[in-house]
Structure formats: C-alpha cells, structure tokens
C-alpha cells in the first residue's frame, strides 16, 4: 500500500478568489490556469498497520502544526473514501526551496491525492482526483491536469472540478517566475484573505460580474493562441483580484516595493517591443508571461535590475502522475 506521485504547480490566469462553500472549497467563480514545471512536488505515501500515527515529512523535516493538520485532514478524507483506517507515512519533496515565497500547496495536494489514492487502491478518474484534491487545497484541483486548465465552479449537478482546455503541447507559453521576496510576508492566510474580501470589499461583486466575460476572452485567447489577448486579460484579472483585496476591511496589500517597481517595468518592456504581461498571486512575487522567441531578450533586460532576487524560467508541464521511484 505504497505509491509515489509527481505533480506540478500552476499559475492562475483568471484567479480563484472567494469561496461559495468554505468546507467543501467550492469557488465563487471559474478560474483558468497553466500548469508549470517551475515548482513540482514528489510525494510518497504508505499506509501500514506498523504506523500508530500519521507522519508527514516535508523537505526532510517532520511537519507539525497547521501543515501537518492539513495533511492529516486530507488523509482522513481519502481513508473515508476507501473505508480504511490505516495510518500513513507521507514523505514529500519540492524541487524548489519552500522559503522562496512561492506557494507549494497546489503541487503538494495534487501529488498527495494521486499518491494516496493509488496506495489505497482507489481507482479514480482524473475528474474524481480533481474533486478530492480540491478539498485539500482549492487551486490544487487544477494541478491534476497539464497545460491549460479551467476549474469549473459547478458543472450543473453541484460538482466542482478542473477540466483540461488544451494540453501542454498546444502552445509553448513561458512563465518567467520572478522571486522578489524570499520570505513570505503575508499577514493573513489565503483562506482568511478571501473570506475578508468576500465579506467586506464593495468591489467583490464588481469583480465577479467582470469575470464571466474575462473567462470567455481567456478561453478564446487559448483557442486562437492570441498572446496579446491572453496577457491583457490575465493582467487585468490580476489587478481586479488585488483591487478586491486592497478594498477589504482590514485591507490587504500583498505587494512590496519590489513588486510595484516590477509592475511599472512591464509596460516599459512592452514599449521596447518585448511582449510580456504579469500576474501576481497572494504574495509579492510575480509571474511574467511571454513567448519563447522573446524570453532571452527579456531575461537580458531583467538582469539589469538588481532588486530581482531570483529568476526561474518555467514552461508548461503535464498533469499529476504516478512514478515508480519512491522517496523511502
Ligand atoms: O488554493 P489556494 O488556497 O492556494 O488559493 C489560491 C489563490 C490564488 O493563487 C491567489 C489564485 C488562484 O486561482 O490560484
């Protein structure tokens, strides 16, 4: 009863921001992402009567507190599915230091779901895996699939899961991940920030109303491989999400001065003839979207700016898969 899975993180082009159901993690709006190879997680799960409690080891350290509790809660959900009571050992490794300020919950929960289901002998379709993963961490439901992915808030029967819009070979988009702050400086968890935004921002409803048309444009941009449309809409939706967070009470600003400097630089790069657009999640770091033919020139420009701490060049990746090399 042991299995190992590999999953990649994803970058939202149309963001998920706000939950309709906090327990089940049902979002208020559909979201669209690209699955990227920049941050991946490998997780081995073993269920055995020899374990008297669940153990979770992340990047060689035994996890405690909130990180541990979230994994145990997710294991409980999967054990319930399989009608098993066995405790598990979970060993997980990110290919990227966790302290980089890049969220790892999407790749982490997708890998955990796929590995634990296989270890428990649960035969699940990708759609079912996505639904299970969603309950561990919302955005992780998109990492079950590779390429371009849409998380459907409700399929008409009350089910919420991700679907693939196009696979990773459809379009060679590039995501230049700019590490602007190496430590997470968040005051609130994403969960808490979304809750505050929904309850208190007068802009929450306005953003939600704008989302349908942005989703349509994004689907069209992907279908037609229209980079200008994809980038313009992604940047706009990112700013809508941050405007909602900023106007909640208490207000939430995820950016630092480095983020703002970088935001101002992006239109200047475009004016120089280098097509690129930004998107930012609930943190200070930035994803710069571009096309392969412009990547080198953009990197040469970025090198001039010493406030950028690290640069990671990402391409599109495939979905979560079972692999044969166990971590223990
Ligand atoms: O799934 P969570 O709780 O990590 O929330 C993700 C929220 C954003 O990254 C800001 C947007 C998104 O769709 O990924």
């Amino acid at each position: 009863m042991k299995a190992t899975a590999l999953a990649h993180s994803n970058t939202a082009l149309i963001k998920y921001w706000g939950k309709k159901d906090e327990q089940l993690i049902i979002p208020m709006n559909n979201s669209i992402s690209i699955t990227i190879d920049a941050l991946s997680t490998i997780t081995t799960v073993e269920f055995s009567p020899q374990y008297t409690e669940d153990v979770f080891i992340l990047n060689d350290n035994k996890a405690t507190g909130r990180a541990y509790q979230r994994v145990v809660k997710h294991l409980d959900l999967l054990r319930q599915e399989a009608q098993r009571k066995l405790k598990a050992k979970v060993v997980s490794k990110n290919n990227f230091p966790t302290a980089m300020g890049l969220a790892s919950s999407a790749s982490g929960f997708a890998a955990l779901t796929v590995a634990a289901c296989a270890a428990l002998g649960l035969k699940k379709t990708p759609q079912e895996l996505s639904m299970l993963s969603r309950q561990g961490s919302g955005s992780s439901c998109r990492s079950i699939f590779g390429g371009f992915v849409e998380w459907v808030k409700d399929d008409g029967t009350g089910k919420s899961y991700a679907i693939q819009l196009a696979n990773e070979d459809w379009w060679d988009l590039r995501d230049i991940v700019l590490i602007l702050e190496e430590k997470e400086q968040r005051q609130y968890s994403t969960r808490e920030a979304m809750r505050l935004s929904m309850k208190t921002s007068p802009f929450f409803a306005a953003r939600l109303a704008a989302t349908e048309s942005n989703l349509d444009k994004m689907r069209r941009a992907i279908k037609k491989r229209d980079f200008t449309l994809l980038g313009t809409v992604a940047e706009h939706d990112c700013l809508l999400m941050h405007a909602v967070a900023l106007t909640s009470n208490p207000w939430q600003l995820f950016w630092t001065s480095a983020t703002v400097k970088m935001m101002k630089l992006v239109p200047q790069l475009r004016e120089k003839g280098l097509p690129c657009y930004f998107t930012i999640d609930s943190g200070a770091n930035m994803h710069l979207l571009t096309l392969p033919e412009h990547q080198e020139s953009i990197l040469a420009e970025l090198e001039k700016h010493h406030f950028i701490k690290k640069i990671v060049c990402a391409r599109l990746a495939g979905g979560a898969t079972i692999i044969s090399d166990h971590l223990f």
Side-chain angles (χ1 to χ4, degrees), residues 92-121:
S92 217
K93 269 195 175 25
N94 294 330
N95 72 339
F96 209 72
T98 317
M100 281 285 196
L102 281 181
S104 57
S105 73
S107 54
F109 275 89
L112 176 64
T113 305
V114 171
C117 282
L120 286 164

Side-chain angles (χ1 to χ4, degrees), residues 218 221 226-236 277-278 289:
M218 188 56 76
D226 181 340
F227 182 66
T228 308
L229 183 61
L230 178 137
T232 312
V233 176
E235 220 174 80
H236 183 58
Y277 297 86
F278 67 76
L289 305 164

Side-chain angles (χ1 to χ4, degrees), residues 41-61:
T41 304
I42 294 181
T43 299
T44 299
V45 182
E46 182 179 44
F47 292 89
S48 165
Q50 92 188 59
Y51 302 127
T52 52
E53 57 166 12
D54 292 323
V55 176
F56 173 39
I57 297 163
L58 175 61
N59 295 333
D60 299 322
N61 297 313

Side-chain angles (χ1 to χ4, degrees), residues 79-267:
R79 274 188 285 249
Q80 197 188 325
E81 278 284 310
Q83 304 205 326
R84 300 298 295 248
K85 287 209 161 77
L86 294 173
K87 300 289 181 197
K89 179 175 175 183
V90 178
V91 177
S92 217
K93 269 195 175 25
N94 294 330
N95 72 339
F96 209 72
T98 317
M100 281 285 196
L102 281 181
S104 57
S105 73
S107 54
F109 275 89
L112 176 64
T113 305
V114 171
C117 282
L120 286 164
L122 286 168
K123 300 249 180 302
K124 297 284 180 194
T125 63
Q127 183 179 310
E128 288 166 337
L129 288 168
S130 179
M131 280 195 281
L132 288 167
S133 198
R134 187 201 79 220
Q135 294 172 67
S137 150
S139 58
S140 77
C141 78
R142 296 186 306 236
S143 279
I144 296 293
F145 298 94
F148 298 83
V149 182
E150 178 161 354
W151 174 7
V152 179
K153 64 179 178 188
D154 180 345
D155 69 354
T157 70
K159 289 185 184 157
S160 177
Y161 48 82
I163 55 170
Q164 188 178 57
L165 296 175
N167 73 19
E168 58 277 21
D169 301 322
W170 173 247
W171 189 9
D172 188 12
L173 269 193
R174 300 296 167 92
D175 179 355
I176 304 176
V177 187
L178 302 176
I179 311 298
L180 304 170
E181 306 295 341
E182 288 181 319
K183 285 256 177 296
E184 286 218 36
Q185 313 195 339
R186 276 191 215 162
Q187 236 182 318
Y188 297 94
S189 66
T190 302
R191 187 168 290 218
E192 186 59 21
M194 283 186 196
R195 191 182 294 146
L196 287 171
S197 288
M198 235 180 107
K199 266 207 210 149
T200 62
S201 171
F203 290 175
F204 189 87
R207 186 222 165 212
L208 207 56
T211 306
E212 276 314 316
S213 123
N214 286 334
L215 283 162
D216 267 349
K217 287 183 193 153
M218 188 56 76
R219 290 184 203 109
R220 186 153 28 98
I222 294 167
K223 200 170 170 192
K224 297 198 162 160
R225 299 193 188 98
D226 181 340
F227 182 66
T228 308
L229 183 61
L230 178 137
T232 312
V233 176
E235 220 174 80
H236 183 58
D237 178 67
C238 159
L239 292 168
L240 285 171
M241 180 214 114
H242 285 272
V244 168
L246 256 178
T247 48
S248 59
N249 182 15
W251 55 271
Q252 295 158 64
L253 175 63
F254 300 111
W255 309 332
T256 62
S257 51
T259 318
V260 176
K261 258 194 205 169
M262 196 53 231
M263 288 165 79
K264 291 192 168 182
L265 198 66
V266 175

